[in-house]
Amino acid sequence: MSDVDLVVETVRDILTGYEPFVLTAERPWDAGLWSALAEAGLTGVGVPEEAGGSGGELADAVAIVGALAAGAAAVPVAEQLLVAAPAVLAAGLDLPAPEEPLSIAVDGAVTAEPRDDGDGPGSWTLTGTATDVAWAGVARHLAVLASSPVGPVLALVDVAGRDTTHAANLAGEPRGSLVLQGVTSAGALLTDAQAERLRARYALARAVQLSAALQQVLAWTVQYAGERQQFGRPLGRFQAIQMELAEMAGEVTAVAALVDAAVQAVERDESPVLAAAAAKVRAGAAVEVVARLAHQVHGAIGFTQEHRLHHLTRRCWSWRDEAGTETAWARVLGAGLLADGPDALWPALTRVV
């Protein structure tokens, strides 16, 4: 058994004690699950030990995020392990303790004004509103991508106790806004390319979650079709159902391939922008097909509050539109593929996939 397999088994063992539940304004996340993950050192995977983390590779962090997504876990691990923590470290900022939830804000109109001189990490004053913040009101720290007169800035803000709006996505996960009026924080100036890579990493994190969730939805649907009897035989014995399961499997496989390619691009320290764009677009397109067919095979039971299916399909519908829509990333992908002219189009296409 590989190290990644061991990590996944550890996450699954922890998840057995924490069934998915319907999120509410009074209970916006699974604090008990987060504590269990932190105690096991899983909220610091991928972060070097000298920076206060648990060590490990990107593949380990991706495996943890995938296992939690498949289990409909209501914790900000994807944002922390795959986006915010790597960005904070790359910017040369001091990373908070891994047991303190860290999220990312790339949307909204937040401006930064420098409070001192120098090209390295310094002090900035933030003004504006960060919108659609994943786990707003839950995260203690927030990595904010802001604009400034001299370029993009990544600022690290302690948001514990700050007022947030009580917005949520379709699955009930907090997606509120925070007003940052004259807030002083540590920050670092980024290049435009670094800011673009940060947004791409966020899109890739959602694509990783979508891929894992869609694989789980497929597995549940295949299992249900094999167990549910209709007209004296299992649903899976009907050709129409078999065709639907095959279509779902094709979608899931395509998403997994593109997500793996994007993760490998990050591991090779290449720009992940085009690969992440392709993965996010493909994952979003697959949600419509897989979720629709899964509910069609399950019938009315899949919509009931007690059934597990909707815990994932509602997350898939939500994650599809987060960190950039398919349309937005399709424009990025198209522009990137054509950037070097017609002769470079085919090599660029094959490099992406």
Short mmCIF file of all heavy atoms in Angstrom, two decimals, residues 4 23 28-29 45 87 101-102 104 110 112 138 144 161-162 172 185 195 209-211 220 223 266 272 294 318 320 328:
data_model
loop_
_atom_site.label_atom_id
_atom_site.label_comp_id
_atom_site.label_asym_id
_atom_site.label_seq_id
_atom_site.Cartn_x
_atom_site.Cartn_y
_atom_site.Cartn_z
N VAL A 4 0.11 7.40 -0.30
CA VAL A 4 -1.15 8.07 -0.60
C VAL A 4 -2.33 7.21 -0.17
O VAL A 4 -3.32 7.71 0.39
CB VAL A 4 -1.24 8.40 -2.11
CG1 VAL A 4 -2.63 8.91 -2.47
CG2 VAL A 4 -0.19 9.45 -2.47
N LEU A 23 -26.26 21.47 6.51
CA LEU A 23 -25.67 22.65 7.12
C LEU A 23 -26.72 23.73 7.31
O LEU A 23 -27.62 23.91 6.49
CB LEU A 23 -24.53 23.18 6.25
CG LEU A 23 -23.40 22.19 5.97
CD1 LEU A 23 -22.39 22.81 5.02
CD2 LEU A 23 -22.72 21.78 7.26
N PRO A 28 -22.72 25.79 10.61
CA PRO A 28 -22.24 25.97 9.25
C PRO A 28 -21.09 25.06 8.84
O PRO A 28 -20.67 25.08 7.69
CB PRO A 28 -21.77 27.43 9.25
CG PRO A 28 -21.31 27.66 10.65
CD PRO A 28 -22.22 26.85 11.53
N TRP A 29 -20.55 24.28 9.78
CA TRP A 29 -19.45 23.38 9.43
C TRP A 29 -19.35 22.29 10.47
O TRP A 29 -20.05 22.31 11.49
CB TRP A 29 -18.14 24.16 9.32
CG TRP A 29 -17.51 24.61 10.62
CD1 TRP A 29 -18.13 25.23 11.67
CD2 TRP A 29 -16.13 24.45 10.99
NE1 TRP A 29 -17.22 25.50 12.66
CE2 TRP A 29 -15.98 25.03 12.27
CE3 TRP A 29 -15.01 23.91 10.37
CZ2 TRP A 29 -14.77 25.08 12.94
CZ3 TRP A 29 -13.79 23.95 11.03
CH2 TRP A 29 -13.68 24.52 12.30
N VAL A 45 -0.91 18.80 5.90
CA VAL A 45 -0.22 17.98 4.89
C VAL A 45 0.11 18.84 3.67
O VAL A 45 -0.72 19.63 3.20
CB VAL A 45 -1.09 16.78 4.49
CG1 VAL A 45 -0.50 16.06 3.28
CG2 VAL A 45 -1.21 15.81 5.66
N ALA A 87 -0.12 29.36 -1.32
CA ALA A 87 0.03 30.74 -1.77
C ALA A 87 0.71 31.59 -0.71
O ALA A 87 1.59 32.42 -1.01
CB ALA A 87 -1.34 31.33 -2.11
N PRO A 101 -8.37 27.25 10.88
CA PRO A 101 -8.88 27.22 9.50
C PRO A 101 -8.45 28.44 8.70
O PRO A 101 -8.56 29.59 9.15
CB PRO A 101 -10.40 27.18 9.68
CG PRO A 101 -10.60 26.60 11.04
CD PRO A 101 -9.46 27.09 11.87
N LEU A 102 -7.98 28.17 7.50
CA LEU A 102 -7.48 29.20 6.59
C LEU A 102 -8.22 29.07 5.27
O LEU A 102 -8.33 27.99 4.70
CB LEU A 102 -5.98 29.01 6.37
CG LEU A 102 -5.30 29.83 5.26
CD1 LEU A 102 -5.33 31.32 5.59
CD2 LEU A 102 -3.86 29.34 5.07
N ILE A 104 -9.52 31.36 1.39
CA ILE A 104 -9.00 32.21 0.32
C ILE A 104 -10.10 33.12 -0.19
O ILE A 104 -11.27 32.73 -0.21
CB ILE A 104 -8.44 31.35 -0.84
CG1 ILE A 104 -7.78 32.20 -1.92
CG2 ILE A 104 -9.52 30.45 -1.41
CD1 ILE A 104 -6.42 32.69 -1.56
N VAL A 110 -11.29 44.55 -3.33
CA VAL A 110 -10.44 44.88 -2.20
C VAL A 110 -9.17 45.53 -2.74
O VAL A 110 -8.51 44.98 -3.63
CB VAL A 110 -10.07 43.63 -1.38
CG1 VAL A 110 -9.16 44.01 -0.21
CG2 VAL A 110 -11.32 42.93 -0.88
N ALA A 112 -5.38 47.50 -1.81
CA ALA A 112 -4.32 47.50 -0.79
C ALA A 112 -3.41 48.70 -1.01
O ALA A 112 -3.01 49.00 -2.13
CB ALA A 112 -3.51 46.20 -0.88
N VAL A 138 -16.27 30.90 9.42
CA VAL A 138 -15.65 29.69 9.96
C VAL A 138 -14.14 29.84 9.98
O VAL A 138 -13.49 29.54 10.99
CB VAL A 138 -16.06 28.45 9.14
CG1 VAL A 138 -15.22 27.24 9.54
CG2 VAL A 138 -17.55 28.16 9.31
N VAL A 144 -6.19 37.05 1.10
CA VAL A 144 -6.98 37.93 0.24
C VAL A 144 -6.13 38.38 -0.94
O VAL A 144 -5.03 38.94 -0.76
CB VAL A 144 -7.48 39.16 1.03
CG1 VAL A 144 -8.31 40.06 0.12
CG2 VAL A 144 -8.29 38.72 2.24
N GLY A 161 -13.76 36.63 14.51
CA GLY A 161 -14.65 37.59 15.15
C GLY A 161 -15.19 38.67 14.25
O GLY A 161 -16.03 39.48 14.70
N ARG A 162 -14.75 38.74 13.01
CA ARG A 162 -15.26 39.78 12.10
C ARG A 162 -16.65 39.41 11.61
O ARG A 162 -16.95 38.25 11.37
CB ARG A 162 -14.31 39.98 10.91
CG ARG A 162 -13.01 40.64 11.29
CD ARG A 162 -12.22 41.05 10.05
NE ARG A 162 -11.00 41.77 10.43
CZ ARG A 162 -10.96 43.07 10.67
NH1 ARG A 162 -12.05 43.80 10.54
NH2 ARG A 162 -9.83 43.65 11.03
N GLY A 172 -25.35 24.55 1.35
CA GLY A 172 -25.36 25.11 2.70
C GLY A 172 -24.00 25.51 3.21
O GLY A 172 -23.88 25.97 4.35
N SER A 185 -2.69 44.50 7.50
CA SER A 185 -2.30 43.10 7.46
C SER A 185 -0.94 42.95 6.80
O SER A 185 -0.47 43.84 6.08
CB SER A 185 -3.34 42.27 6.70
OG SER A 185 -3.30 42.61 5.32
N ALA A 195 -0.63 35.98 -9.70
CA ALA A 195 -2.04 36.11 -9.35
C ALA A 195 -2.91 35.18 -10.20
O ALA A 195 -3.86 34.57 -9.70
CB ALA A 195 -2.49 37.56 -9.53
N GLN A 209 -12.18 18.39 -6.04
CA GLN A 209 -13.37 18.03 -5.27
C GLN A 209 -14.46 17.46 -6.16
O GLN A 209 -15.11 16.46 -5.83
CB GLN A 209 -13.90 19.26 -4.52
CG GLN A 209 -12.99 19.74 -3.40
CD GLN A 209 -13.56 20.97 -2.72
OE1 GLN A 209 -13.59 22.05 -3.29
NE2 GLN A 209 -14.03 20.82 -1.50
N LEU A 210 -14.68 18.11 -7.29
CA LEU A 210 -15.71 17.64 -8.22
C LEU A 210 -15.40 16.24 -8.73
O LEU A 210 -16.29 15.38 -8.80
CB LEU A 210 -15.84 18.61 -9.40
CG LEU A 210 -16.59 19.91 -9.11
CD1 LEU A 210 -16.40 20.89 -10.26
CD2 LEU A 210 -18.08 19.63 -8.90
N SER A 211 -14.15 15.99 -9.09
CA SER A 211 -13.78 14.68 -9.61
C SER A 211 -14.06 13.59 -8.58
O SER A 211 -14.65 12.55 -8.91
CB SER A 211 -12.30 14.68 -10.00
OG SER A 211 -11.90 13.42 -10.50
N TRP A 220 -22.10 5.01 -6.03
CA TRP A 220 -23.39 4.82 -5.36
C TRP A 220 -24.47 4.41 -6.35
O TRP A 220 -25.31 3.56 -6.05
CB TRP A 220 -23.80 6.11 -4.66
CG TRP A 220 -23.05 6.40 -3.40
CD1 TRP A 220 -22.28 5.53 -2.67
CD2 TRP A 220 -23.01 7.65 -2.72
NE1 TRP A 220 -21.76 6.16 -1.58
CE2 TRP A 220 -22.19 7.46 -1.57
CE3 TRP A 220 -23.57 8.90 -2.96
CZ2 TRP A 220 -21.93 8.49 -0.68
CZ3 TRP A 220 -23.31 9.93 -2.06
CH2 TRP A 220 -22.50 9.72 -0.94
N GLN A 223 -24.04 0.82 -7.45
CA GLN A 223 -24.45 -0.05 -6.35
C GLN A 223 -25.98 -0.11 -6.25
O GLN A 223 -26.55 -1.20 -6.11
CB GLN A 223 -23.86 0.46 -5.04
CG GLN A 223 -24.25 -0.36 -3.82
CD GLN A 223 -23.73 0.23 -2.52
OE1 GLN A 223 -23.14 1.30 -2.50
NE2 GLN A 223 -23.95 -0.46 -1.42
N VAL A 266 1.28 21.01 -11.75
CA VAL A 266 1.70 21.71 -10.54
C VAL A 266 2.91 21.02 -9.93
O VAL A 266 3.87 21.67 -9.48
CB VAL A 266 0.54 21.77 -9.53
CG1 VAL A 266 1.01 22.41 -8.21
CG2 VAL A 266 -0.63 22.56 -10.10
N PRO A 272 0.05 26.13 -14.03
CA PRO A 272 -1.11 25.25 -14.08
C PRO A 272 -2.33 25.88 -14.74
O PRO A 272 -3.41 25.27 -14.76
CB PRO A 272 -1.39 25.01 -12.60
CG PRO A 272 -1.04 26.31 -11.96
CD PRO A 272 0.15 26.86 -12.75
N ALA A 294 -27.75 10.28 -12.17
CA ALA A 294 -27.75 9.64 -10.85
C ALA A 294 -29.12 9.77 -10.20
O ALA A 294 -29.67 8.79 -9.66
CB ALA A 294 -26.68 10.26 -9.97
N SER A 318 -22.95 23.27 -6.71
CA SER A 318 -22.39 24.50 -6.14
C SER A 318 -20.95 24.71 -6.59
O SER A 318 -20.58 25.80 -7.05
CB SER A 318 -22.45 24.44 -4.61
OG SER A 318 -23.79 24.32 -4.15
N ARG A 320 -19.46 23.67 -9.09
CA ARG A 320 -19.36 23.92 -10.52
C ARG A 320 -19.23 25.41 -10.81
O ARG A 320 -18.50 25.82 -11.73
CB ARG A 320 -20.60 23.35 -11.21
CG ARG A 320 -20.71 23.65 -12.69
CD ARG A 320 -22.00 23.10 -13.26
NE ARG A 320 -22.06 23.27 -14.71
CZ ARG A 320 -23.06 22.83 -15.46
NH1 ARG A 320 -24.09 22.20 -14.91
NH2 ARG A 320 -23.03 23.03 -16.77
N ALA A 328 -16.03 31.34 -17.97
CA ALA A 328 -14.85 32.15 -17.67
C ALA A 328 -13.57 31.38 -17.95
O ALA A 328 -12.63 31.90 -18.58
CB ALA A 328 -14.89 32.60 -16.21
#
